[in-house]
Amino acid sequence: MKLLIKSGRVINPSTGLDEIKDILLIDGLVAKIEDEILDEADKIIDAMDFWVTPGLIDLHVHLREPGFEHKETIETGSRSAAKGGFTTICCMPNTNPAIDCKDVVDFVKSRAREKAIVNVLPIGSITKGLKGEELANIDEMVKIGICAISDDGRTVQNSDSMRQGMKIAKDLNIPVFSHCEDETLLCGGVMNSGAVSKELGMDGILSEVENVIIARDIVLTKGTGAKLHICHISTSLGVDLLRFGKSIGANVTGEVCPHHFTLTDKDVSSLDTNMKMNPPLRGQDDVEAIKMGLKDGTIDVIATDHAPHHKDEKSLSFSNAPFGIVGLETAIPLGITELVKEGWLTPMELIEKFTINPAKILDIDKGDIGVGKIADITIINPSVEYKIDVKGFASKSKNSPFHNRLVNGRVEYTIVNGEVVYDRIKDNK
Ligand SMILES: NC(=O)N[C@@H](CC(=O)O)C(=O)O
Ligand SMILES: [Zn+2]
């Protein structure tokens, strides 16, 4: 099988390449990257005016299988990923049962093999049942192929358990993804604590809830040397703590989600439950700090925290609805609209945070277009303007705060192992 991508703007952060090129893919691998390729091919994609980038990698996705298939399945989540331009996604273990032992890892891997159209890398839990105390059998899960450990959705409240988990992760050379929330400070909050929560009469979530654990885990990684990755940073001080951690040589990286650089707690005023997620939408100062952190390289990765919930669950009152929003199909347009168009990031810097940086954290040979490498590639129209429409989402769930939002940028093709798994025109007929 030969696939020829013609005349696209190839943006490859790992080599700094940003030029118009042709790319030939043969049998799942990149065979040539040249100014002009005249070889015959089974299929030709005209990528004129489009960006051709390494396949996007999402470190933070909730696929909900096993246990919550009414929200999403590995199959539908992978279709949503493909439509969003992601060729590799890491799935969080807060399923039922949790991904906390060999059997559940096996199950996820075999479902992914049968049903997923993108690469799915399971994340194992740190503690059994995500209960934050007794460690899961991390060693046996690593042997059969988890890419990281995390209790995401929860924090390992017990600092000693977290430290022991980090020591094991360090020995096994896998990263620890930390969802940062001190439950003793939480007090049942449902949105950011501040003027807006007061006005609405809603219980607030202090920034301290998040910041205390970010600080704790940086301290713990400084001691253990484990590779720590801070999930979904939403606060200004959280960005400063990450910057400080890096400055003292801690082995730490961090991610932010598109909603945290696009929206603020003012958007919660409507009490739309699609504005409810964890961590919550914060203040304008936090949004500015996140954008500064993205720009100066403190924040390594943009991840979606794709958290599908059924419409009946999101129809509950704001206080009772579950935390979380879908994100796979809106990440690239929000990144282009809010960060590139507004001058915060160059296209190269944006793509870096979706490709080579997450690949480095996972220590996998992806996120880089090079001759001989696996052909995972995303093709993006960066300028087209349109309104996001949740009805078109491939995800089973539609819980997005971005319905009807005017954006620029759209994924045209997603290619995994040299095969087109998403073709906008063909797949939306
Ligand atoms: N982010 C969320 O609001 N929800 C996530 C859990 C998580 O990522 O913390 C979920 O699983 O629904
Ligand atoms: Zn989380």
Side-chain angles (χ1 to χ4, degrees):
M1 172 71 189
K2 285 190 183 183
L3 176 62
L4 181 56
I5 304 168
K6 289 292 286 179
S7 314
R9 176 178 171 188
V10 180
I11 300 177
N12 191 45
S14 93
T15 55
L17 178 71
D18 185 351
E19 277 174 44
I20 308 292
K21 294 274 181 197
D22 290 354
I23 299 183
L24 180 67
L25 313 180
I26 302 181
D27 296 336
L29 301 179
V30 176
K32 286 184 187 177
I33 309 167
E34 287 166 18
D35 290 344
E36 190 172 26
I37 298 173
L38 298 168
D39 296 40
E40 303 255 311
D42 302 296
K43 182 179 166 70
I44 296 176
I45 291 176
D46 176 8
M48 176 103 78
D49 299 325
F50 294 164
W51 295 352
V52 177
T53 75
L56 312 183
I57 300 169
D58 192 347
L59 296 183
H60 195 142
V61 174
H62 298 275
L63 289 179
R64 305 301 193 205
E65 191 177 352
F68 305 105
E69 291 82 356
H70 62 293
K71 300 174 196 259
E72 195 80 283
T73 62
I74 290 169
E75 178 175 5
T76 60
S78 81
R79 290 190 182 280
S80 179
K83 195 158 180 180
F86 293 93
T87 55
T88 297
I89 55 178
C90 303
C91 62
M92 286 295 181
N94 62 339
T95 49
N96 186 21
I99 308 177
D100 68 354
C101 64
K102 179 180 175 299
D103 286 355
V104 187
V105 178
D106 268 336
F107 170 81
V108 171
K109 288 188 67 148
S110 77
R111 284 303 267 193
R113 219 176 297 118
E114 286 161 23
K115 301 279 186 187
I117 61 170
V118 303
N119 302 298
V120 173
L121 307 180
I123 299 170
S125 70
I126 304 172
T127 65
K128 282 194 180 151
L130 282 79
K131 290 194 166 63
E133 295 288 340
E134 194 188 341
L135 290 186
N137 193 336
I138 299 166
D139 186 52
E140 78 170 14
M141 291 194 289
V142 170
K143 280 200 185 97
I144 57 164
I146 52 168
C147 66
I149 53 170
S150 179
D151 271 8
D152 185 60
R154 306 284 304 272
T155 291
V156 180
Q157 299 296 317
N158 183 318
S159 301
D160 184 52
S161 300
M162 187 60 169
R163 184 168 168 275
Q164 299 305 334
M166 280 187 180
K167 281 167 69 177
I168 293 171
K170 158 91 179 152
D171 287 345
L172 298 171
N173 199 24
I174 52 158
V176 180
F177 291 2
S178 181
H179 165 115
C180 297
E181 198 175 15
D182 184 325
E183 287 174 15
T184 65
L185 290 169
L186 198 52
C187 310
V190 294
M191 65 174 290
N192 182 46
S193 174
V196 184
S197 66
K198 273 205 194 82
E199 200 180 300
L200 294 169
M202 291 282 161
D203 290 326
I205 302 173
L206 294 165
S207 302
E208 285 87 331
V209 170
E210 183 173 343
N211 298 338
V212 162
I213 299 293
I214 297 178
R216 180 198 74 171
D217 286 355
I218 290 172
V219 169
L220 291 177
T221 202
K222 184 74 177 134
T224 58
K227 197 172 184 181
L228 172 68
H229 177 70
I230 307 289
C231 294
H232 43 46
I233 297 172
S234 72
T235 66
S236 151
L237 183 54
V239 179
D240 287 338
L241 288 167
L242 175 61
R243 193 178 286 116
F244 172 73
K246 290 182 170 189
S247 79
I248 58 166
N251 196 356
V252 62
T253 54
E255 79 189 21
V256 297
C257 307
H259 44 279
H260 288 128
F261 59 67
T262 306
L263 303 171
T264 67
D265 58 356
K266 284 214 172 85
D267 295 295
V268 180
S269 298
S270 59
L271 291 182
D272 174 357
T273 58
N274 291 329
M275 297 287 175
K276 181 177 179 182
M277 73 295 286
N278 197 11
L281 300 173
R282 304 283 190 185
Q284 190 57 43
D285 289 358
D286 299 298
V287 170
E288 297 283 319
I290 285 171
K291 288 177 174 171
M292 283 303 297
L294 282 161
K295 192 182 168 74
D296 73 13
T298 300
I299 296 164
D300 308 271
V301 165
I302 300 173
T304 68
D305 191 7
H306 179 81
H309 291 293
H310 191 268
K311 68 176 185 323
D312 292 349
E313 299 161 320
K314 279 294 198 181
S315 302
L316 297 169
S317 67
F318 194 86
S319 295
N320 292 314
F323 290 95
I325 62 169
V326 290
L328 287 164
E329 293 169 69
T330 50
I332 274 293
L334 292 171
I336 289 174
T337 309
E338 300 297 322
L339 302 175
V340 176
K341 235 182 109 190
E342 296 293 318
W344 289 95
L345 297 182
T346 63
M348 182 76 80
E349 289 164 341
L350 179 78
I351 295 307
E352 185 178 35
K353 294 179 199 293
F354 277 111
T355 59
I356 191 67
N357 287 0
K360 280 184 192 156
I361 290 167
L362 296 170
D363 196 14
I364 55 174
D365 188 17
K366 289 193 180 288
D368 179 12
I369 301 177
V371 172
K373 290 191 186 277
I374 289 174
D376 287 357
I377 289 177
T378 301
I379 302 179
I380 297 164
N381 177 340
S383 51
V384 58
E385 189 172 68
Y386 64 101
K387 279 187 176 170
I388 288 170
D389 184 353
V390 298
K391 290 193 293 298
F393 283 3
S395 171
K396 228 184 210 191
S397 291
K398 315 292 173 198
N399 52 313
S400 169
F402 300 114
H403 182 58
N404 265 332
R405 193 179 179 92
L406 190 66
V407 288
N408 289 93
R410 180 168 67 192
V411 172
E412 296 289 331
Y413 299 90
T414 305
I415 299 166
V416 175
N417 288 323
E419 272 185 46
V420 177
V421 296
Y422 174 70
D423 173 336
R424 184 182 64 80
I425 292 173
K426 224 171 100 201
D427 293 345
N428 290 292
K429 262 194 196 134

